[in-house]
């Protein structure tokens, strides 16, 4: 029984072996080509991965009817060699697809050949974006395009706030391909590229050193390196030797370097300490771990790279596509033998190519490098890893994803609250920067061994308190002083780094100004000056070609005009405190009050009796004497007393107000601007002055002033002379000055002129730098620090003349209406008092009339009393006459001799 079992087992084994051999004999071999640089390490790794892929694929799928046969063509590290190898494979082997080539330059020619022959070209290492522009459907990129990483680079630069970046790339299609997309990405975050550093593929160490020295002598300290790994190794070794790996420098590598570190020597890795890098992220999987373990056991001398994984997946995809496409019509259509065609046209067209291209474009599977799927003819990445080189190795410090940007962990979700207040430590792990620095480099620094900043300074004739250029007669050296210069030096002291500079006056050889302020600012745009320091106004048209810092002094354009005294001091000045209406009203009420008192008092008061002439004089005397002293006539009736007391109050108010107003007119100037606004100057066609070499001339022309009515001046003395002469003597009616100059002018002539309007608003004075200069942000921050410190107040007190208390302040809003220090008193200020007294008069007369009418003996009493009063008056006169002859010796007798007229 046992022998029978063994027999049957042996029989079935032989049967299945024969059946399997028959099936293998029916499998169809399909030729594919592989164009690579035979003999190189990277080519060896790629071809090993291709062979392992085919072995693993068919061992797990024995039922497939097709078998790929890889035919290798040696490109000999040359573009022409790659094209020749492809032609040879198509002509002699009639390959249905080509894997490779290694470089983007080689791929450019192979794409054209594949398009001509309808042979798909699948590259696992040609990453240049330029290849996409060929728009060939027969080119499939089984790798990531270089431009796919620019958003990750942009996020790093934006996170740390660097404002300038210098790309360092190899001078070929691979290096230049990333530049358009990188430039666009940096422009989106307002990052400037001051220059580019291009390294030749076969550059010598001396040529690399020259380029590195040029980079050292420029202020930008952030570099993006995009080149092949062997060249990068030599580059960083030289960079460390020269001193470009010290603190303050920032280096960012693309995945062209970080994905293939096997080509970099140990010394090169050590030289790259502190460098950041963007690396292709390969998601971990069990299949990948098994493959890596198997690789290390079988090929311990070769390091597996991401390009090897892509070669593995590309081969798998090609095997799947050929199996799905079938084996029908694997031939080439030959060209017409009668026609004289080129060797390329003589290859004919692959009848299998269109069908293979269709199935290859639809292949989708989970490969060793991740999800494999062609989208628009290439793989699409969604994650990149950020690495930091430390010692002889690299470590992961974070990731970049399309959804979350920079994160520490791949599964980390961004928090909305962190978007505005987060720091770089919230997005990346701790970083070691070049030179073992643990603080973030600023990305920009004035090179100490480089040239000094050439700072242009305006040459002024007047207003030298702001900027003054003189020449030492002994040493013949230029001496530059002024408020602007001192403020700039205070700002430089606040910068966190040293800045070497030299002031260069903008002048001709004869010492005169070389142009106006627009010409001076334009020198920065032309590159003749690195900056401009002085009283340079921030204007919109200038900001189109230069950058301004934050204004260090506020400004504007003010209109100043002469002041006229409204008071004409002549022999009639004592009439001016009161208006003519008040004068007439006062005189009228003097008579009304006197008459009213007489009417009420003369019936019962002997002081108001007598002849008609005497009574008339008494009325006038009584009324006007109340202005200076109490009259001698006594008042008996209650109504008259109330009236007199009220009138005394009004007289007191009038006299005190008159005295104050007259004193003000005699002692105080009542100044009033001759012009109140710019529009009045335009309407009258007046001549006006402006600062020479200033932008004010253009503003006045735009406003509507005629050039013939515009008179330039340089100094405060010239402006004063023009304003003092006026238009009748060839002068001007007003002058337009910027506020800082206006303050200096009014500090010198504060009692003669006034600013009546500020017709033009400008931002102020700022320092000028080239567009995109990172110094602008740092200097602006330093300006704010100085402005908030006591140093700013000290500088203003030192350079701006202190104005008198009576000087008008140009910084306050000017009053457009004429004003005087005291005004003429009018009836409107006292009408209520006069109405009150008039009311008392009417009431008193009414009461008197009432009593007079109801008295039956009014007439008789009046006549009798009048006769008695006449006799009494004669007796008193005679008594006074006698008493005056006795010469009294004491006060009692004097008092008895006087008429008793006091109230």
């Amino acid at each position: 029984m046992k022998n029978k079992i063994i027999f049957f087992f042996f029989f079935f084994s032989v049967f299945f072996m024969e059946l399997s051999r028959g099936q293998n004999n029916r499998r169809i071999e399909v030729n594919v080509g592989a164009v690579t640089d035979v003999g190189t390490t990277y080519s060896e790794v790629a071809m090993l991965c291709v062979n392992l892929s085919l072995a693993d694929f068919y061992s797990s799928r024995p039922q497939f009817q097709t078998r790929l046969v890889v035919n290798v063509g040696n490109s000999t590290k040359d573009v022409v060699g790659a094209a020749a190898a492809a032609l040879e494979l198509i002509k002699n082997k009639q390959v249905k697809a080509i894997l490779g080539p290694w470089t983007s330059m080689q791929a450019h020619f192979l794409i054209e050949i594949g398009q001509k022959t309808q042979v798909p070209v699948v590259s696992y290492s040609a990453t240049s974006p330029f290849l996409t522009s060929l728009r060939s459907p027969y080119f499939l990129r089984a790798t990531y395009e270089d431009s796919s990483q620019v958003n990750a680079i942009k996020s790093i630069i934006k996170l740390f706030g660097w404002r300038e970046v210098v790309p360092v790339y190899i001078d070929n299609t691979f290096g230049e391909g990333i530049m358009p997309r990188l430039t666009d990405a940096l422009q989106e975050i307002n990052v400037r590229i001051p220059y580019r550093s291009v390294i030749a593929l076969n550059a010598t160490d001396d040529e690399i050193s020259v380029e590195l020295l040029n980079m050292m002598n420029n202020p930008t300290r952030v570099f993006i390196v995009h080149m092949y790994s062997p060249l990068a190794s030599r580059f960083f070794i030289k960079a460390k030797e020269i001193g470009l790996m010290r603190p303050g420098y920032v280096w960012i590598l693309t995945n062209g370097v970080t994905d293939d570190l096997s080509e970099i020597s140990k010394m090169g890795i050590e030289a790259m300490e502190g460098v950041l890098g963007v690396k292709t992220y390969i998601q971990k999987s069990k299949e990948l771990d098994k493959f890596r373990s198997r690789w290390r056991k079988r090929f311990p001398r070769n390091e597996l790279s991401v390009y090897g994984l892509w070669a593995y997946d590309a081969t798998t995809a090609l095997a799947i596509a050929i199996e799905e496409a079938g084996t029908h019509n694997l031939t080439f259509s030959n060209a017409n033998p009668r026609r004289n065609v080129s060797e390329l046209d003589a290859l004919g067209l692959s009848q299998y190519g269109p069908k293979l291209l269709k199935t290859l474009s639809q292949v989708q599977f989970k490969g060793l490098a991740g999800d494999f799927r062609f989208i628009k003819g290439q793989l699409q990445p969604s994650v990149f890893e950020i690495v930091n080189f430390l010692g002889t190795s690299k470590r992961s410090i974070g990731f970049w994803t399309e959804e979350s940007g920079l994160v520490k962990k791949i599964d980390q979700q961004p928090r909305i609250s962190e978007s505005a207040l987060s720091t770089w430590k919230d997005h990346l792990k701790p970083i070691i920067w070049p030179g073992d620095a643990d603080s973030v480099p600023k990305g920009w620094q004035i090179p100490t061994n480089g040239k000094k900043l050439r700072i242009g300074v305006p040459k002024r004739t007047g207003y030298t308190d702001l900027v003054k250029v003189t020449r030492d007669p002994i040493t013949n050296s230029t001496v530059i002083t002024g408020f602007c210069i001192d403020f700039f030096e205070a700002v430089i002291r606040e910068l966190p780094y040293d800045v070497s500079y030299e002031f260069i006056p903008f002048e001709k050889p004869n010492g005169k100004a070389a142009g106006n302020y627009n010409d001076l600012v334009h020198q920065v745009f032309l590159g003749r000056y690195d900056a401009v320091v002085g009283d340079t106004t921030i204007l919109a048209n200038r900001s189109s070609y230069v950058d301004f810092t934050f204004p260090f002094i506020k400004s504007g354009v003010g209109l100043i005009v002469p002041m006229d005294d409204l008071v004409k001091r002549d022999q009639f000045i004592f009439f001016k405190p009161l208006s003519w209406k008040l004068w007439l009203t006062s005189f009228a009420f003097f008579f009304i009050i006197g008459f009213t008192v007489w009417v009420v008092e003369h019936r019962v008061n002997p002081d108001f009796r007598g002849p008609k002439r005497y009574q008339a004089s008494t009325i006038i005397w009584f009324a006007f004497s109340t202005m200076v002293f109490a009259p001698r006539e006594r008042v008996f009736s209650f109504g008259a007393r109330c009236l007199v007391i009220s009138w005394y109050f009004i007289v007191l108010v009038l006299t005190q107000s008159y005295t104050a107003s007259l004193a003000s007119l005699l002692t105080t100037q009542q100044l009033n601007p001759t012009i109140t606004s710019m529009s009045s100057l335009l309407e009258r066609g007046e001549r006006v002055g402006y600062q020479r070499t200033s932008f004010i001339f253009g503003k006045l022309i735009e406003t509507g002033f005629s050039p013939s009515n515009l008179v330039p001046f340089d100094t405060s003395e010239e402006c004063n002379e023009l304003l003092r002469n006026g238009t009748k003597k060839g002068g001007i009616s007003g002058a337009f000055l910027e506020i800082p100059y206006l303050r200096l002018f009014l500090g010198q002539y504060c009692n003669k002129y006034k600013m009546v309007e500020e017709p033009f608003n400008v931002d102020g004075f700022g320092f000028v730098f080239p567009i995109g200069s990172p110094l602008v942000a740092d200097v602006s921050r330093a300006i704010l620090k100085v402005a908030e410190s006591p140093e700013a107040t000290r500088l203003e007190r030192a350079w701006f003349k202190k104005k008198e208390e009576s000087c008008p302040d140009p910084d306050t809003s000017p009053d457009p209406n004429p004003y005087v220090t005291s005004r003429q008193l009018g009836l409107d200020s006292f009408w209520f008092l006069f109405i009150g007294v008039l009311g008392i008069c009417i009431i008193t007369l009414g009461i008197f009339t009432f009593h007079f009418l109801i008295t039956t003996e009014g007439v008789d009493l009046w006549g009798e009393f009048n006769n008695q009063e006449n006799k009494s008056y004669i007796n008193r006169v005679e008594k006074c006459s006698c008493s005056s002859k006795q010469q009294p010796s004491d006060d009692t007798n004097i008092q008895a001799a006087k008429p008793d007229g006091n109230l």
Side-chain angles (χ1 to χ4, degrees), residues 159 406 415-427:
L159 180 64
L406 292 172
R415 290 179 291 179
I416 299 178
S417 60
E418 289 183 348
S419 59
L421 302 176
S422 62
T423 64
W424 71 268
K425 294 182 180 180
D426 298 320
H427 298 269

Side-chain angles (χ1 to χ4, degrees), residues 160-161 163 442 491 494-497 549-550 774-788:
F160 293 103
R163 308 308 305 164
K442 285 189 167 293
V491 168
E494 291 293 333
L495 291 177
Y497 46 82
T549 63
F550 192 85
L775 265 179
V776 174
D778 292 341
V779 172
S780 295
R781 296 187 188 97
I783 288 175
L784 294 177
K785 292 180 181 178
V786 175
E788 296 172 0

Side-chain angles (χ1 to χ4, degrees), residues 449-653:
N449 57 343
K451 62 180 182 179
K452 296 181 179 180
L453 284 180
R454 293 170 52 86
I455 299 179
V457 177
K459 179 66 179 293
R460 293 200 58 86
T461 304
Y463 301 99
T464 54
D465 291 329
L466 295 172
V467 179
K468 185 177 182 180
V469 179
T470 57
R471 192 168 296 278
D472 192 330
I474 300 176
T475 62
N476 200 32
S477 60
T478 302
V479 180
I480 302 176
T481 58
F483 170 80
C484 298
I485 302 301
D486 287 355
F487 199 98
F488 176 76
E489 292 176 346
V491 168
I492 292 298
R493 289 193 293 269
E494 291 293 333
L495 291 177
Y497 46 82
D498 295 331
V499 177
S500 300
Y501 60 90
E502 59 177 340
F503 292 122
I504 303 174
F506 186 55
E507 61 182 0
K508 298 178 181 178
N510 59 4
K512 295 183 179 181
N516 57 27
Y517 279 76
N518 288 332
D519 298 329
L520 174 59
V521 172
H522 194 65
Q523 303 305 307
V524 177
F525 174 75
L526 297 177
R528 296 173 184 172
Y529 293 147
D530 299 314
V532 167
V533 171
D535 49 342
T536 311
T537 306
I538 302 173
L539 297 176
N541 61 337
R542 294 174 181 174
S543 63
S544 62
Y545 53 89
V546 294
D547 277 349
F548 286 93
T549 63
F550 192 85
F552 62 90
I553 183 172
K554 294 182 179 179
S555 184
V557 178
L559 170 60
I560 58 172
V561 296
M563 303 287 287
D564 278 349
D565 193 352
L566 292 180
V567 180
K568 303 301 181 182
R569 293 171 177 81
D570 50 21
Q571 64 272 23
F572 300 106
I573 192 173
F574 62 89
F575 284 116
K576 294 181 179 179
L578 305 182
S579 66
W580 64 271
K581 291 183 179 180
L582 185 57
W583 278 115
L584 294 178
T585 304
S586 301
F587 277 111
F589 267 83
F590 275 119
F591 287 105
I592 292 173
I593 298 300
F595 176 76
T596 303
V597 173
W598 175 80
V599 170
V600 175
E601 289 289 324
H602 82 280
R603 293 180 59 237
V604 294
N605 192 338
D607 290 338
F608 290 89
R609 296 292 183 89
K612 295 181 178 179
R613 293 179 61 186
Y614 175 79
Q615 293 186 40
S617 64
T618 300
I619 293 174
I620 299 174
W621 164 262
F622 180 85
F624 284 94
S625 63
T626 56
M627 287 192 300
V628 292
F629 56 85
R632 66 182 182 180
E633 290 78 13
R634 293 176 298 175
V635 179
F636 293 155
S637 64
F638 176 77
R641 289 181 179 183
C642 291
L643 179 61
V644 171
I645 290 174
S646 302
W647 181 243
Y648 276 164
F649 176 74
I650 294 179
V651 170
L652 176 64
V653 173

Side-chain angles (χ1 to χ4, degrees), residues 273-292:
E273 183 171 3
V275 174
L276 298 180
V278 177
K279 186 177 183 298
T280 301
Y281 173 69
I282 303 299
Q283 188 176 4
K284 294 182 179 180
S285 63
K286 293 182 180 180
E287 291 76 11
L288 179 60
D289 292 339
K290 292 179 181 179
F291 184 79
R292 289 184 185 275

Side-chain angles (χ1 to χ4, degrees), residues 30 36 127 133 160 200 305 475 510 610 634 663 795:
V30 180
T36 185
T127 58
S133 62
F160 293 103
S305 66
T475 62
N510 59 4
R634 293 176 298 175
L795 291 175

